[in-house]
Amino acid sequence: MKVYKFGGASVKNAAGVRNLARIVAREKGELVVVVSAMGKTTNALERLVSLSLTGEEELMLRQLGDIRDYHFGIVSELFPAGHTFIENKLEAMLGQILACCKAALVEKPEYDEFYDSVVSFGELMSTRIVSYVLDREGTQNICLDMTKLLVTDDTYREARPEMEKSQHSLKSFMESNPARVYVAQGFIGGTESGRRTTLGREGSDYSAALIANMLDAESVTIWKDVPGILNADPRLINETTLIHELTYFDAVELAYSGAQVIHPKTIRPLENKHIPLYVKPFMNPEAEGSVIKDTTAKPIDVPVFIWRKNQVLVTLRAKDFSFVLEDSLNRLFETIYRHRLKVSMIQSSAITVSVCVDKSRYLEAALKELSEDYRVTFNEGLSLLTIRGTTPEIIAQHTEGKTILLSQTTRRTARYVIKE
């Protein structure tokens, strides 16, 4: 059994879906195809959630209409003569979304649970389309419903999988419904009580790794719009280098620093079962790409540059000039955990602690709580630049003329919080 994962860019249009079908047709063994929402559908559904909760019904309906037009446009290009089966399936799901949003206009539900109930439809729609296209192209398959098979807790928007229960559900379903190819949603799961959940943004990689772990898969391949894992974002650096091999440790380190190719949670389920992870270009499936595995022939021998955008630098200072580290770290990290802040860097002195975190909707409440005990200052609109494999010349080249608010260096890595 192999696992293939296709992101939103892979299925953003009819050409992408056809390309997916060609890649899947090349694999003759057992396969699970994990699919994200199409294109920017998750962003569109997030806006729909916000409009519903702010009571902007007219804009909400227009947004839902745009989502409908986008998906039906892809379907009409895939099937110019029309196919009522898939169209009816999409209409039914769009009707469920509309019902949820209309109810929210009145009931004003809690944000996170409502978010999961609506945003999860992105993957449910994309997998229905992909499964149907595979059937039409001669690859018979079964479409899995991961909201019933990936059992999670009720931490909405960042649900934690219940691995034993999920493995039992998934294997039992597949044994009762044998097929060579299965199509599964990434990013989403469900509680035992039947509520839909999501695993966090970009969680489809994580879904693929969880499925591979539960099925003891031979490998996972993530199909991307880049040649593989590069030493820098090609949108920011003109000349990049393909990294052919990485260890699991390398991948975790790069993902934590903000590398966009691999989701940070993805590695652990694979490393636990020694399952290699391939990253390959979906427009050139014959290309070598990159592989993440236990050991490599040689260490990474090129400098790696990672930018983590939308950072906020929060500095806490004790109000009475006491030593902040003596009794504050437990309280600080408990607050960070409870408000789901994503920490990317920490630095302390005798009376201050500075924490660089991702900007999120939970940050304001966390800052308000922390200000009860500390003097709190913060800077927004920052970037965190991580350079692995540094030299004085490289550091000078990439930091010259920039306003650096915080820096940390080790023997092989330098990190800078930079004001844009």
Side-chain angles (χ1 to χ4, degrees):
M1 175 71 75
K2 295 180 181 179
V3 177
Y4 282 1
K5 181 262 174 175
F6 293 88
S10 306
V11 290
K12 66 181 180 181
N13 52 32
V17 176
R18 292 192 189 100
N19 186 56
L20 178 154
R22 286 192 293 270
I23 292 172
V24 169
R26 294 168 69 247
E27 176 57 53
K28 302 306 180 185
E30 294 181 314
L31 186 64
V32 178
V33 182
V34 178
V35 184
S36 299
M38 293 178 150
K40 300 295 185 181
T41 297
T42 299
N43 292 341
L45 288 166
E46 286 179 340
R47 175 165 167 75
L48 186 67
V49 167
S50 297
L51 293 171
S52 302
L53 293 177
T54 54
E56 299 177 74
E57 184 172 5
E58 184 177 344
L59 291 176
M60 178 198 81
L61 294 173
R62 190 181 306 164
Q63 180 73 9
L64 184 58
D66 290 343
I67 294 168
R68 181 191 184 280
D69 291 346
Y70 173 64
H71 285 81
F72 271 75
I74 292 174
V75 169
S76 65
E77 190 172 342
L78 289 167
F79 306 108
H83 272 272
T84 56
F85 173 81
I86 189 62
E87 291 166 354
N88 289 342
K89 288 288 185 182
L90 292 178
E91 288 289 14
M93 285 187 273
L94 290 162
Q96 292 177 59
I97 298 173
L98 178 60
C100 288
C101 293
K102 282 195 169 183
L105 291 170
V106 179
E107 298 168 3
K108 304 298 181 188
E110 191 274 335
Y111 181 89
D112 289 342
E113 184 174 357
F114 177 59
Y115 175 101
D116 281 6
S117 69
V118 172
V119 173
S120 54
F121 277 103
E123 279 70 18
L124 292 170
M125 289 190 290
S126 67
T127 48
R128 277 296 178 189
I129 294 172
V130 166
S131 175
Y132 195 64
V133 170
L134 289 177
D135 271 334
R136 298 297 97 186
E137 296 290 327
T139 302
Q140 293 189 348
N141 66 91
I142 291 177
C143 189
L144 304 174
D145 184 351
M146 297 308 291
T147 66
K148 296 181 172 62
L149 300 177
L150 182 59
V151 183
T152 74
D153 68 5
D154 61 356
T155 307
Y156 298 105
R157 296 191 71 201
E158 285 196 36
R160 302 180 184 92
E162 305 277 357
M163 289 298 288
E164 288 188 12
K165 294 175 182 176
S166 298
Q167 185 176 43
H168 174 74
S169 296
L170 181 60
K171 284 190 168 182
S172 295
F173 180 89
M174 294 173 77
E175 287 169 3
S176 301
N177 301 271
R180 186 182 68 82
V181 176
Y182 296 90
V183 176
Q185 302 85 26
F187 178 57
I188 67 176
T191 66
E192 288 190 279
S193 63
R195 305 294 296 179
R196 290 190 296 276
T197 58
T198 65
L199 306 181
R201 283 304 302 264
E202 310 301 330
S204 290
D205 291 355
Y206 187 34
S207 295
L210 292 171
I211 291 170
N213 179 288
M214 291 186 284
L215 298 178
D216 294 307
E218 174 187 337
S219 65
V220 174
T221 302
I222 295 178
W223 298 92
K224 306 282 289 186
D225 57 354
V226 291
I229 298 176
L230 303 175
N231 72 319
D233 188 333
R235 295 170 296 184
L236 301 174
I237 287 186
N238 291 329
E239 295 185 7
T240 58
T241 302
L242 177 67
I243 303 173
H244 294 281
E245 295 184 329
L246 301 86
T247 64
Y248 294 119
F249 178 83
D250 291 329
V252 168
E253 189 174 52
L254 297 182
Y256 179 78
S257 297
Q260 296 298 304
V261 175
I262 303 297
H263 189 278
K265 294 179 182 178
T266 301
I267 302 303
R268 184 179 178 185
L270 301 177
E271 191 274 338
N272 287 346
K273 294 283 185 77
H274 308 286
I275 300 170
L277 171 64
Y278 297 89
V279 179
K280 303 188 73 172
F282 62 78
M283 294 308 294
N284 185 15
E286 300 292 342
E288 180 183 357
S290 304
V291 60
I292 299 168
K293 55 184 181 177
D294 283 309
T295 60
T296 60
K298 61 178 182 178
I300 298 173
D301 57 0
V302 294
V304 179
F305 305 90
I306 302 168
W307 283 264
R308 192 163 178 159
K309 302 289 189 178
N310 296 319
Q311 297 293 287
V312 180
L313 182 62
V314 180
T315 300
L316 309 178
R317 180 175 287 106
K319 290 183 176 180
D320 58 0
F321 290 94
S322 61
F323 293 110
V324 73
L325 292 181
E326 288 185 350
D327 64 351
S328 300
L329 281 185
N330 283 344
R331 197 179 336 155
L332 169 62
F333 286 114
E334 192 277 331
T335 303
I336 286 172
Y337 176 79
R338 187 158 27 84
H339 289 280
R340 307 187 190 185
L341 302 185
K342 303 299 183 187
V343 177
S344 47
M345 187 170 168
I346 298 176
Q347 193 160 294
S348 64
S349 69
I351 59 173
T352 65
V353 176
S354 294
V355 185
C356 189
V357 299
D358 291 351
K359 185 175 179 61
S360 76
R361 67 181 306 271
Y362 306 108
L363 181 60
E364 184 177 352
L367 295 178
K368 182 177 180 181
E369 183 176 321
L370 290 168
S371 66
E372 295 173 3
D373 298 308
Y374 307 100
R375 294 188 179 96
V376 179
T377 57
F378 62 94
N379 298 85
E380 298 182 279
L382 310 178
S383 293
L384 174 63
L385 170 61
T386 299
I387 308 174
R388 175 175 165 166
T390 61
T391 66
E393 293 76 19
I394 290 173
I395 290 173
Q397 179 184 354
H398 291 276
T399 61
E400 185 177 1
K402 294 181 170 61
T403 302
I404 297 173
L405 303 184
L406 201 66
S407 66
Q408 287 181 356
T409 57
T410 65
R411 283 176 294 180
R412 66 174 184 175
T413 302
R415 311 184 80 200
Y416 302 95
V417 179
I418 297 172
K419 187 174 182 180
E420 295 291 354

